[in-house]
Amino acid sequence: MSDPAPRSSAGASKPAILTVDDDPGVSRAVARDLRRKYGEKYRIIRAESGESALGALREIALRGDQVAVLLADYRMPSMSGLEFLEQAMDIFPFARRVLLTAYADTDAAIEAINVVDLDYYLLKPWDPPEEKLYPVVDTLLDAWHAADIRPILETKIIAGRWASRSSEMREFLARNRLPYRWFLADEPEGARLLAAAGHDDRTLPVVVCADGSCLLDPTDTELAEYFGLGTTPAEDFYDLVVVGGGPAGLGAAVYGASEGLRTVLVERTATGGQAGQSSRIENYLGFPDGVSGAQLAERARRQAEKFGAELITTREVAGLEVDGPARLVRLTDGSAIAAHSIILATGVSYRRHPAAGVDDFAGRGVFYGSAVTEAVGCTGQDVYIVGGANSAGQAAMYLSKWAKSVTIVVRAESLEASMSYYLVQQIENNPVISVRPCTEVTAAHGDGHLEQITLRDRVSGAEETVDTGYLFLFIGAAPRTEWLDGVVVRDRHGFVVSGQDLTVDGARPPGWSVDRAPHHLETSVPGIFAAGDVRADSAKRVASAVGEGAMAVMLVHPYLAQP
């Protein structure tokens, strides 16, 4: 088998083959054998620890270069080859993965096939390489080349420092894990780029594309199309439409597509939902060291696409219609997607804060949930967080790595009533974080951006104005289901009612058209199901949302099979 031609644009570096082994002798031998066969067309990079290898991968990603193959030794101190490959997947998800093992470690290799979607495992020693190493690498390079993954070209974004649209754009790009470099127009490099592009600060934000062209204050849809995200359905009719790309929606998309249903997922902003904005989820099954919401969402998205689910972003649903056996999802642009069945997994949104002036500074010092995106900007600052649930606690722990101080403002007497025990303990042991119980924000002040907030003690009534440039809000959840009005039954808070909760004294819901009771997650319209946080009385946890997404698909099957 011939060595495939590497995939790179003019002037770009050669794709890399990276090998990591803590034994210097073995590390040099692997690199030597690889360089002898592939050194002309590929960069051969070797590392002697998982940590240094991950550092090298991050540098390669920042340069916009590619990695074709990863070879990692299983037995390494501090970070095994399996742990390295699992983290490397999040940096280069399309790189082919090989585990180097001794004969006694073949069970680990089998485990790796499930955990990191391993492509191959090699038993050491591999001499002669012409028989045991090169044929394997040739096959993997052929497969990598055939995937035709486009190289990441550098995109530059020039933005205003306190412009709300600039903040929204950065949040959109970060949540969709799209590569870019960020420049502020009032700093020398940003001003130089803006002038070179032939524009001024009246056109901000400006996206300088890899080919030199510019997008002036683009919409999210224009950004999505530029970066190659799907924004238009490929078909007119599906077996299943999933509305919402949070944990429940992604779970439904994975199970629907894997079970052979023609599945499309429609998401307004980015896959992951509120969970995707979490800096660290430490109580999700299977991740003992925790996982960021963005990593979890990205893996689920790749998994859904692997099984053939179609993912549509930057499309907002405006209405739902029933047309005989078809169910139609109406989008705000006037188009529609029809299907046999629908799963509503729209989750919830953070409630807007009612205090005077708060929303005047949205994106200009006041942020709803955007802790991960804005964290670096908080370096050395006094930061305030409003909220007492897990999302607020996770944000506080993450921001404490950069901020001078983090203050959690909570109306309740303590955090224990609404936050997981493990997070409460972490916060109590973090010297950067303090908690102000029985306190609320009553006003926000500033000239063009947030500079101060007013705090009120709910017991004494005393007020205090404090200096801060950053206020993060995590204040409860609203389902935002007004678009379902008149179609499916909702409770007084707007959450979708499903299953046995629809029946009163054995009576079926008004308009129920089939001769059976509603399935467990089925709404008041047959064939329309609800999963995750949007459903009334749901558990409001990531794991339960994923489970409900999978269960909803299980219930779709008997609905589709009925005459």
Side-chain angles (χ1 to χ4, degrees):
M1 186 177 297
S2 61
D3 181 16
R7 188 171 59 241
S8 60
S9 57
S13 299
K14 295 183 288 187
I17 299 173
L18 182 142
T19 174
V20 53
D21 195 305
D22 66 301
D23 185 323
V26 174
S27 177
R28 285 192 295 268
V30 177
R32 178 198 64 221
D33 288 343
L34 291 172
R35 193 171 288 113
R36 187 170 60 196
K37 174 72 183 293
Y38 306 105
E40 183 178 344
K41 295 181 178 180
Y42 297 87
R43 292 177 60 210
I44 310 301
I45 300 172
R46 75 178 185 93
E48 295 181 5
S49 71
E51 291 85 353
S52 61
L54 289 173
L57 290 179
R58 294 187 185 102
E59 290 182 10
I60 294 169
L62 284 174
R63 292 196 300 268
D65 295 334
Q66 294 288 297
V67 175
V69 178
L70 301 166
L71 300 96
D73 180 53
Y74 173 65
R75 288 186 178 271
M76 292 189 294
S78 75
M79 180 185 294
S80 71
L82 181 57
E83 293 168 330
F84 162 73
L85 290 174
E86 186 175 10
Q87 294 189 46
M89 284 175 65
D90 294 319
I91 305 173
F92 286 100
F94 300 104
R96 301 295 161 166
R97 295 173 285 276
V98 179
L99 196 66
L100 303 176
T101 69
Y103 181 79
D105 296 325
T106 51
D107 287 345
I110 294 170
E111 176 191 358
I113 292 173
N114 298 318
V115 175
V116 299
D117 195 19
L118 193 69
D119 292 292
Y120 207 90
Y121 67 90
L122 279 172
L123 294 176
K124 297 188 294 184
W126 56 85
D127 288 334
E130 289 79 9
E131 295 181 11
K132 298 183 178 180
L133 178 64
Y134 298 154
V136 172
V137 176
D138 282 344
T139 300
L140 296 177
L141 290 172
D142 276 339
W144 181 79
H145 181 65
D148 193 28
I149 306 303
R150 290 176 295 175
I152 298 173
L153 303 176
E154 185 176 79
T155 299
K156 303 179 180 70
I157 298 176
I158 310 159
R161 185 178 295 274
W162 297 112
S164 58
R165 175 54 189 156
S166 297
S167 174
E168 292 169 0
M169 181 181 292
R170 184 151 76 169
E171 180 76 3
F172 173 80
L173 294 169
R175 290 186 61 188
N176 281 285
R177 302 190 67 144
L178 300 173
Y180 66 93
R181 290 189 64 192
W182 190 261
F183 300 89
L184 292 174
D186 60 359
E187 292 183 346
E189 184 63 14
R192 185 191 68 78
L193 286 171
L194 193 61
H199 298 284
D200 56 37
D201 56 12
R202 291 174 296 180
T203 59
L204 296 176
V206 174
V207 179
V208 182
C209 304
D211 61 3
S213 62
C214 294
L215 302 175
L216 305 182
D217 191 15
T219 65
D220 287 351
T221 299
E222 289 170 334
L223 280 173
E225 290 173 346
Y226 166 68
F227 280 100
L229 298 182
T231 59
T232 305
E235 301 182 31
D236 296 324
F237 199 92
Y238 295 84
D239 294 318
L240 172 63
V241 174
V242 180
V243 183
L250 287 168
V254 167
Y255 280 90
S258 68
E259 294 176 12
L261 299 179
R262 290 172 299 163
T263 302
V264 61
L265 182 150
V266 183
E267 166 55 44
R268 180 180 58 185
T269 304
T271 52
Q274 282 192 6
Q277 297 176 276
S278 296
S279 57
R280 204 75 182 163
I281 303 170
E282 295 191 62
N283 58 351
Y284 188 70
L285 184 68
F287 292 88
D289 298 320
V291 61
S292 75
Q295 288 174 320
L296 194 62
E298 174 66 10
R299 293 182 184 195
R301 182 195 63 78
R302 293 202 309 263
Q303 194 172 16
E305 291 182 327
K306 169 186 173 181
F307 288 119
E310 188 179 339
L311 271 59
I312 305 299
T313 57
T314 68
R315 295 300 183 194
E316 187 167 0
V317 176
L320 197 61
E321 298 178 14
V322 177
D323 184 9
R327 279 82 179 100
L328 276 71
V329 171
R330 293 284 180 190
L331 305 181
T332 52
D333 64 359
S335 62
I337 307 174
H340 291 299
S341 59
I342 293 172
I343 294 177
L344 304 174
T346 49
V348 293
S349 301
Y350 291 118
R351 298 185 187 276
R352 311 306 289 183
H353 199 290
V358 167
D359 271 356
D360 294 338
F361 299 112
R364 295 180 292 158
V366 173
F367 304 97
Y368 285 89
S370 310
V372 174
T373 308
E374 301 296 331
V376 176
C378 297
T379 301
Q381 303 292 314
D382 295 313
V383 173
Y384 285 76
I385 293 174
V386 177
N390 280 7
S391 54
Q394 291 160 354
M397 291 299 299
Y398 189 74
L399 290 169
S400 69
K401 300 174 184 178
W402 286 272
K404 183 171 80 174
S405 70
V406 177
T407 302
I408 300 177
V409 179
V410 59
R411 292 166 58 91
E413 295 182 357
S414 69
L415 296 176
E416 280 81 356
S418 54
M419 190 177 293
S420 293
Y421 177 78
Y422 81 91
L423 266 176
V424 174
Q425 296 300 303
Q426 290 179 1
I427 288 168
E428 288 179 351
N429 294 323
N430 191 318
V432 176
I433 302 175
S434 60
V435 180
R436 292 190 62 156
C438 302
T439 304
E440 60 187 355
V441 175
T442 58
H445 320 276
D447 182 9
H449 61 88
L450 182 69
E451 295 174 330
Q452 293 179 320
I453 58 173
T454 298
L455 302 175
R456 175 181 172 273
D457 188 300
R458 301 184 70 231
V459 177
S460 67
E463 291 193 341
E464 175 189 5
T465 298
V466 296
D467 295 333
T468 183
Y470 290 90
L471 176 64
F472 295 91
L473 303 171
F474 302 86
I475 50 171
R480 310 290 189 223
T481 54
E482 297 84 1
W483 59 279
L484 293 171
D485 191 29
V487 182
V488 301
V489 173
R490 297 174 295 147
D491 67 13
R492 62 190 180 90
H493 300 293
F495 292 94
V496 177
V497 181
S498 63
Q500 64 182 11
D501 293 336
L502 289 165
T503 60
V504 179
D505 297 328
R508 292 168 185 170
W512 186 254
S513 59
V514 295
D515 188 22
R516 61 170 174 80
H519 292 306
H520 173 51
L521 301 179
E522 199 166 19
T523 70
S524 58
V525 178
I528 300 179
F529 300 81
D533 291 0
V534 74
R535 193 177 65 81
D537 298 324
S538 63
K540 306 297 186 288
R541 287 290 186 267
V542 175
S544 62
V546 173
E548 286 192 7
M551 184 185 297
V553 171
M554 182 184 73
L555 299 172
V556 164
H557 287 294
Y559 169 76
L560 295 178
Q562 71 185 21

